[in-house]
Amino acid sequence: MTELGKTEAIDAGALPMVAARPTLEVTPRLRIVAIVVVVAVISGAIALTAGGYWLSNFTQAYCMILTLMGCAVLYGQLGLVSLCQWALVGVGGWISLRFYHYFHPPFFVTILAGGVGASAVGMIWGLPALRMRGLYLALVTLMLAGAFQTVITVTSFPVGGPGILGQVGASGNERIMMARPEIASSDTAYFLYVAFVTLLAIFLVEAHRRTKPGRAWALIRKNEQMAMASGVRIVFYKAWAFALSGFLAGVAGAMLAGLFGQLDASAFAPTDSIVIFIGTLLGGTEFWLGPFLGGILTRFIPALLIDFNVNAYVGLLFFGAALLLGLRDPVGIGGHLTGLAENLYRKFMRWRGS
Amino acid sequence: MKHVLSFLTCAFTISVLFAAAPAVAAAPDCGLNTGKAATGEPIPIGAVTTMTGLGSFKEADQAVKAYFDCVNANGGIYGRPIAYHDEDDQSKLDVAAQAGKKAVIDTGDYVLVGSTSVIECIANAELYLKQNILAIGEGIPPQCYQSRNIAEVNAGPRQSGIGGLDFARRKLGIKSAVCSIPKFPGSDYSCGGAEEWGRKFGVKVTSIYSDPVSPDYGSLVLQILATNADAVMIYGTDDIGAQIFAAAEQQDGAAKMKWTAPTSFYTVRFPGAIDTKYWNDRVWVNAELAPLDSKGEDNQNWAAVMDAYGGNALRDSFSQAGYIAGRVAVRAMLTIKNPKDVNRDTVTAAIQNMTPYVTDILCQPWYWGGPGATEHNPNHVTRTVTIHDGKWKTIEGCYNDEDPGLASVEATEKKLGIKISDMAK
Amino acid sequence: MNLLPFVASGIGLGAVYALSSVGLVILYRASGTLNFAFGAFGGLAAFVAFELIRDGVPQLLGWLVGIAISTGIAYAYGRIVAPRMAHRDRVVRAVATLGLALLLLGGMAYIWGVGVARRLTLPTDLSFVLLFGVRLSVTRLIALGVSLAMVGGVGLLLSRTRIGLAMRSLASDRNISAVIGVRVTATDSFAWMLNGAFAGIAGLLLADLNRLDPGLMTFLVIPAIAAAILARLSSLPGAFIGGMICGLIEALLVAFPSFANLRSAGPYVAALLFMMVVGAGQGLGARE
């Protein structure tokens, strides 16, 4: 047994996806170590090599990872489709910017404000979900994303001006940028800060999956009547899932605001929320690797095309085609990687056994 | 068959030669005019421009590139060629910020020339300030005019709208007006400016901030007509504008009020996109630069540069403005006598301390105003054009825009001795 | 402010939404796919027609070719891609069409450009009837007529023809239909073709009534979905009425200054309220 544990520890370092598969009987502690190692290695490599352009893009990609994790909780754990997650990022961003310009609190407080605010809004937006499923829920959330786009285009994000909306313009005063935390004012340091928050968020979701809420979600997904019969408070746990995914989106919004110092309504069209959901499908809902890969890919591919000066419309054409091809596949990239790892692991065990 | 083909090829070649002939005749004036290609260490210069998303303004960058190519073929900056690159901001804040990082940090540009964007100034004004880099281009949001490190060749929507309305006050005798603008951050800077102007000149200005997402232009036109004002200023891009004009035509709007528009409508395509028979002499558009076919010396040089180096890039106002931006930058860099000393800090100082650049494309000389200038609006004297027989026709020459908010800019100009150029009149 | 003029202009906008939402509901009923690419199909048809007419092709021929192109693309998707997605749930099938929409949007924007002032006009634009003192152009009346004709025509097709019967049976249960000998792929493809043709007709009218712009035409599908929700994605007359309601709401909000610049949210809020108050536990949603 100890022998086996050792092998796994080595595997977890070298082949991270092995650790991501609970069926391999990886102990929770090993899994945590694996997650930390993978995120640290990838983030460290990015921080050491990337310049201004790529650092900014990867910071943005990490914010997308957070959003995708929220989507993956809803879809992977409960089978619920939310097409308004990116709008919730906007909500979190708006609240954190508003909070920042009023109080100038420490940065982590701003993040928490964005997270808690978006979590509350996410729960309210999730209310229809208590009675709806499938395409109908998806469309209701899409309507919310549509309405959000109109409202945010008109109100815009606070930039330190007067009044609740915090706009400047006719008065002609300057836009005030949201400051980053003191320990992370440089681009590299801020990227590592965001990576650290992403890591914390992965553990937050992981903790949910391993405790009571995770078991309740599994039961609800399997059979709602059965869940109800065994005393699971369905409404409560569904609302909890929406709150959690809203929280993750809100934190992502706050960190995006910190990255650019401000936000703009043009980034929050309803189709952006649909693309986030598609990213969840492409990466796979397999926690945590699926959202991690999905988030990086949905930002990395467009950023790469921009860097190579590919016309944005040609890029969109490729992106659309990639979505079409990717969606034919039910498990996503994360699923394939874990499947591959499992195969390798089995072969390895067989080889050891023989 | 073969003969027919070779005949066609021959005819084609000849016609191409004839078409290209005028370009050969007038050698453009570029930089040192040595006729020798520059081969030294390249000078990195960039731009962040909207090429996709809400529209495309890449004509500005194409003109900058054409002019820089011409300068590089004529000795460069005392032997150093300019390496020019432009990045697309896709009309998005995040992409604009990242493009700014790429240009300013990764590529290490010395100055940004030709950036023409709907969002770039909002995204990058602070970055430019921190990195001590200047940007000369064309801009739309207020941040393009109220930032220490950005100065634009165009006048901006606020100036252009006020200029259009002021023409209507002086020449069409309006007593009231509507300012119609899609609601965006900074849109109240434009219509708020029109209201300020109205208070000063006794014109009652009401603003309509419309929903930028809604495609229902018919209702917007009804809302405008319901105000019963004497005139309306239609803000926006020329494609949406054309649709608003189509909706207005359906309600016979031109009979009910005077229709004016800012310079964003003064494009090559706009007359083709509206019913020019109906709108003949009934739409007044503000123009910030000389007409494309102006016989002014600098405008002719722009045309010659474009013919020689511009390929098939569209010749429009953005192209003229890009040419001016490129020319200002080269002129300032040439004041640094030792090419080894050309770097970001020296280029910044050279542009800040430049002597005003006199050109017939603009109504008054273009200037920076020293290192202490906190806002820049060197172009605020504009013209008025109308559509006559399906073509643009200038009906009033250079006239100050009368924006009450320009007091400090005008004070600077008084100090520098800037006034409307004789050559532009 | 007098509301009646805005009622008239709302009818015009409503006709636009009604056309699209009827088109969406037809495909959804027949194949269970909500087509996010409906607007992009229409945009493609309009651009092809615009290009041909500009090059001197007779107007009618230009329109027909445009509609043929959108029909062809829809058929190709229904034949090649859609069957491979058939095993996935309705949401995934729907969002997959967004991939197609983005692909077409990218192509159209690359070829024809965005934010370019241009004009696709119909000869009926300048003839009008007066309604509440507002001129309602004949093009808008045609749009109304076409969407009503679509409702009627498809209603007849579904109830009176063999292919209509096959479509109805597919919509109610794919597996059983296959077992009893309904030709699933052929029926599906036919539904897609119908969708593409309607998208083409709608696209031509939309380009004239709103604006010939790739992004605008592609994303107009989202308010059209709001209108389709008001019909619970199932009733054809409902889709028509839903479209009219959405158009009226959006136009009438202009008259209320505090909501005027938020009016494009009107259709979404209407759809949300409808779902909250009326929609739960009924219609197609409950069956899934």
Side-chain angles (χ1 to χ4, degrees):
Chain A
M1 191 60 212
T2 44
E3 190 61 31
L4 183 70
K6 247 184 211 161
T7 337
E8 276 184 6
I10 294 162
D11 267 0
L15 261 178
M17 34 288 203
V18 174
R21 188 81 177 181
T23 50
L24 300 186
E25 291 166 41
V26 177
T27 60
R29 188 175 296 170
L30 276 177
R31 194 173 152 84
I32 289 173
V33 171
I35 294 174
V36 171
V37 168
V38 173
V39 175
V41 166
I42 294 182
S43 309
I46 293 170
L48 285 177
T49 53
Y53 175 77
W54 280 108
L55 263 180
S56 176
N57 269 297
F58 276 115
T59 314
Q60 208 179 347
Y62 274 48
C63 297
M64 287 189 145
I65 292 172
L66 283 175
T67 321
L68 284 170
M69 283 198 310
C71 245
V73 165
L74 290 174
Y75 190 61
Q77 306 290 309
L78 281 165
L80 297 172
V81 176
S82 163
L83 297 182
C84 65
Q85 290 307 112
W86 195 245
L88 281 172
V89 171
V91 170
W94 194 93
I95 292 171
S96 64
L97 280 166
R98 187 59 280 172
F99 203 72
Y100 171 80
H101 289 301
Y102 271 146
F103 305 113
H104 295 277
F107 192 72
F108 73 93
V109 181
T110 317
I111 292 187
L112 280 180
V116 171
S119 163
V121 173
M123 209 150 66
I124 297 167
W125 285 8
L127 281 179
L130 308 177
R131 304 178 359 186
M132 276 166 217
R133 268 177 302 161
L135 185 60
Y136 266 57
L137 172 64
L139 292 183
V140 166
T141 52
L142 182 67
M143 294 299 107
L144 286 163
F148 177 76
Q149 181 198 19
T150 303
V151 173
I152 200 65
T153 307
V154 169
T155 59
S156 199
F157 290 92
V159 287
I164 178 97
L165 297 179
Q167 293 303 297
V168 298
S171 45
N173 40 358
E174 224 173 293
R175 283 186 166 223
I176 297 165
M177 301 288 127
M178 180 159 126
R180 291 176 184 173
E182 265 174 44
I183 49 160
S185 58
S186 80
D187 285 357
T188 312
Y190 188 70
F191 168 73
L192 291 173
Y193 188 100
V194 172
F196 182 69
V197 173
T198 308
L199 196 61
L200 290 183
I202 293 177
F203 289 141
L204 176 68
V205 177
E206 187 67 15
H208 274 87
R209 278 162 37 92
R210 299 206 159 269
T211 52
K212 214 173 161 195
R215 289 194 291 274
W217 290 337
L219 210 54
I220 293 172
R221 173 156 208 192
K222 197 143 205 171
N223 187 328
E224 254 182 59
Q225 275 82 21
M226 199 173 78
M228 209 185 298
S230 44
V232 173
R233 285 176 294 164
I234 293 181
V235 172
F236 176 78
Y237 281 109
K238 271 193 180 177
W240 189 331
F242 275 98
L244 176 64
S245 73
F247 179 78
L248 293 169
V251 169
M255 292 195 306
L256 266 187
L259 172 63
F260 300 114
Q262 55 184 336
L263 289 175
D264 186 75
S266 60
F268 297 96
T271 39
D272 292 313
S273 283
I274 306 181
V275 168
I276 285 291
F277 176 67
I278 295 179
T280 311
L281 293 173
L282 292 184
T285 48
E286 190 85 19
F287 199 79
W288 54 285
L289 199 60
F292 194 80
L293 292 173
I296 289 190
L297 282 178
T298 35
R299 186 64 218 161
F300 181 77
I301 295 175
L304 197 68
L305 292 168
I306 293 172
D307 202 30
F308 280 104
N309 283 326
V310 175
N311 180 292
Y313 300 136
V314 177
L316 196 62
L317 206 151
F318 282 130
F319 193 62
L323 296 186
L324 271 181
L325 289 176
L327 282 181
R328 286 168 41 195
D329 164 29
V331 288
I333 304 163
H336 282 298
L337 280 184
T338 39
L340 180 75
E342 190 164 278
N343 269 343
L344 285 176
Y345 179 77
R346 281 212 198 93
K347 275 190 191 144
F348 174 72
M349 291 307 281
R350 225 175 286 141
W351 171 75
R352 255 173 57 104
S354 64
Chain B
M1 184 66 198
K2 207 179 166 194
H3 291 285
V4 176
L5 267 182
S6 61
F7 170 77
L8 280 178
T9 322
C10 225
F12 178 72
T13 318
I14 290 167
S15 64
V16 166
L17 278 177
F18 270 105
V24 181
D29 167 26
C30 300
L32 296 171
N33 287 318
T34 60
K36 268 187 237 145
T39 51
E41 193 200 339
I43 295 173
I45 293 182
V48 177
T49 288
T50 298
M51 301 183 209
T52 57
L54 294 178
S56 169
F57 308 112
K58 62 175 186 290
E59 287 77 18
D61 297 0
Q62 288 170 333
V64 176
K65 179 146 195 354
Y67 182 69
F68 284 170
D69 284 347
C70 183
V71 169
N72 289 346
N74 280 293
I77 307 299
Y78 300 114
R80 287 181 70 176
I82 297 167
Y84 183 66
H85 71 108
D86 58 348
E87 311 293 334
D88 179 12
D89 69 21
Q90 301 187 0
S91 321
K92 290 182 192 153
L93 180 86
D94 51 344
V95 183
Q98 280 148 1
K101 291 247 153 95
K102 192 174 169 187
V104 176
I105 294 169
D106 298 348
T107 316
D109 291 333
Y110 295 174
V111 57
L112 300 172
V113 177
S115 302
T116 305
S117 165
V118 293
I119 198 151
E120 194 267 332
C121 299
I122 295 180
N124 293 330
E126 206 188 53
L127 176 75
Y128 299 161
L129 205 57
K130 272 190 190 149
Q131 300 282 338
N132 190 34
I133 187 170
L134 302 186
I136 307 171
E138 296 155 272
I140 292 145
Q143 285 72 22
C144 296
Y145 301 90
Q146 298 175 328
S147 168
R148 201 177 265 273
N149 285 27
I150 304 173
E152 308 292 15
V153 175
N154 66 326
R158 174 174 164 130
Q159 298 306 317
S160 200
I162 295 176
L165 286 172
D166 198 56
F167 171 84
R169 173 184 69 87
R170 285 181 282 106
K171 295 291 165 79
L172 308 174
I174 61 160
K175 294 275 179 287
S176 59
V178 188
C179 184
S180 165
I181 192 165
K183 183 84 182 74
F184 276 121
S187 56
D188 47 352
Y189 176 69
S190 294
C191 276
E195 287 173 23
E196 250 179 83
W197 162 87
R199 278 191 292 276
K200 183 173 168 190
F201 290 98
V203 177
K204 188 176 168 284
V205 178
T206 38
S207 299
I208 292 177
Y209 294 100
S210 61
D211 182 337
V213 187
S214 174
D216 175 21
Y217 309 114
S219 300
L220 175 63
V221 165
L222 291 181
Q223 192 185 7
I224 291 169
L225 293 176
T227 61
N228 287 318
D230 296 337
V232 58
M233 165 59 57
I234 301 286
Y235 271 107
T237 48
D238 65 338
D239 60 326
I240 294 175
Q243 214 60 40
I244 294 177
F245 273 69
E249 182 185 356
Q250 284 183 9
Q251 304 301 334
D252 196 16
K256 293 169 188 155
M257 48 177 74
K258 315 279 186 212
W259 291 72
T260 67
T263 206
S264 51
F265 287 52
Y266 180 47
T267 63
V268 183
R269 294 192 189 99
F270 185 69
I274 62 170
D275 182 352
T276 43
K277 251 190 220 132
Y278 178 80
W279 291 105
N280 196 34
D281 294 328
R282 287 163 106 180
V283 50
W284 293 271
V285 177
N286 183 264
E288 299 172 356
L289 297 124
L292 299 176
D293 55 357
S294 153
K295 294 286 170 253
E297 194 188 331
D298 208 19
N299 196 55
Q300 288 296 310
N301 194 45
W302 159 71
V305 168
M306 292 311 289
D307 282 344
Y309 296 92
N312 54 5
L314 187 69
R315 272 70 160 167
D316 63 0
S317 304
F318 291 107
S319 176
Q320 286 172 305
Y323 161 81
I324 294 177
R327 200 141 190 187
V328 163
V330 166
R331 194 169 158 272
M333 284 191 285
L334 286 174
T335 61
I336 307 167
K337 291 298 173 204
N338 185 349
K340 279 192 189 132
D341 290 342
V342 175
N343 57 41
R344 183 181 292 171
D345 290 339
T346 55
V347 173
T348 296
I351 294 175
Q352 283 171 337
N353 297 313
M354 68 180 273
T355 52
Y357 168 61
V358 183
T359 167
D360 49 77
I361 299 176
L362 299 177
C363 283
Q364 64 173 18
W366 199 91
Y367 64 95
W368 190 277
T374 52
E375 54 180 329
H376 303 271
N377 215 328
N379 180 2
H380 55 83
V381 182
T382 54
R383 302 168 169 91
T384 306
V385 297
T386 187
I387 293 178
H388 182 75
D389 288 344
K391 287 201 190 86
W392 290 113
K393 181 182 138 195
T394 308
I395 50 170
E396 189 186 61
C398 297
Y399 207 95
N400 188 17
D401 287 340
E402 305 290 4
D403 176 4
L406 276 184
S408 76
V409 166
E410 278 163 0
T412 312
E413 287 174 8
K414 210 166 180 188
K415 236 187 299 171
L416 291 169
I418 301 260
K419 50 180 193 281
I420 298 180
S421 325
D422 296 331
M423 57 205 295
K425 280 176 185 166
Chain C
M1 196 181 270
N2 183 7
L3 287 183
L4 287 178
F6 297 101
V7 171
S9 94
I11 290 174
L13 182 67
V16 168
Y17 288 153
L19 264 175
S20 305
S21 98
V22 169
L24 285 173
V25 168
I26 290 166
L27 181 71
Y28 186 76
R29 273 184 62 166
S31 79
T33 305
L34 187 68
N35 181 14
F36 278 97
F38 186 85
F41 287 168
L44 190 65
F47 270 110
V48 169
F50 165 77
E51 183 75 40
L52 290 175
I53 293 167
R54 198 176 53 177
D55 293 346
V57 173
Q59 282 210 333
L60 191 64
L61 186 63
W63 303 335
L64 288 178
V65 174
I67 294 168
I69 296 266
S70 68
T71 311
I73 296 249
Y75 175 76
Y77 186 85
R79 192 86 206 180
I80 300 166
V81 185
R84 283 157 218 255
M85 302 269 181
H87 60 285
R88 309 212 56 183
D89 67 37
R90 281 173 190 236
V91 184
V92 177
R93 258 144 63 196
V95 298
T97 58
L98 185 80
L100 178 66
L102 294 181
L103 191 155
L104 291 174
L105 170 62
M108 286 188 285
Y110 184 69
I111 298 172
W112 288 289
V114 172
V116 177
R118 65 188 135 221
R119 191 155 168 245
L120 180 102
T121 47
L122 302 177
T124 46
D125 285 352
L126 294 176
S127 338
F128 57 88
V129 293
L130 272 180
L131 180 65
F132 307 129
V134 172
R135 297 175 177 193
L136 204 56
S137 77
V138 173
T139 314
R140 283 178 196 271
L141 296 178
I142 291 176
L144 270 178
V146 168
S147 43
L148 273 177
M150 274 161 66
V151 172
V154 174
L156 283 178
L157 179 87
L158 287 176
S159 60
R160 296 286 165 82
T161 64
R162 197 154 180 86
I163 186 101
L165 183 67
M167 283 159 96
R168 281 188 290 149
S169 93
L170 269 193
S172 94
D173 193 311
R174 292 182 83 82
N175 289 336
I176 294 180
S177 309
V179 170
I180 59 170
V182 173
R183 291 165 62 206
V184 177
T185 324
T187 314
D188 250 5
S189 311
F190 180 76
W192 273 97
M193 274 173 69
L194 210 57
N195 183 262
F198 284 172
I201 298 168
L204 286 170
L205 289 164
L206 292 182
D208 174 85
L209 294 171
N210 291 326
R211 186 155 54 91
L212 183 54
D213 178 81
L216 179 93
M217 299 205 52
T218 303
F219 297 131
L220 210 62
V221 71
I222 304 208
I225 287 174
I229 286 179
L230 293 180
R232 285 208 200 97
L233 299 181
S234 61
S235 149
L236 288 173
F240 178 81
I241 296 166
M244 295 308 287
I245 290 176
C246 286
L248 282 171
I249 290 175
E250 195 168 330
L252 281 171
L253 281 175
V254 171
F256 301 91
S258 34
F259 295 105
N261 54 26
L262 292 171
R263 63 200 178 105
S264 63
Y268 308 128
V269 174
L272 280 170
L273 289 177
F274 179 83
M275 291 296 275
M276 300 290 286
V277 178
V278 193
Q282 295 171 32
L284 289 170
R287 209 176 53 210
E288 260 186 69

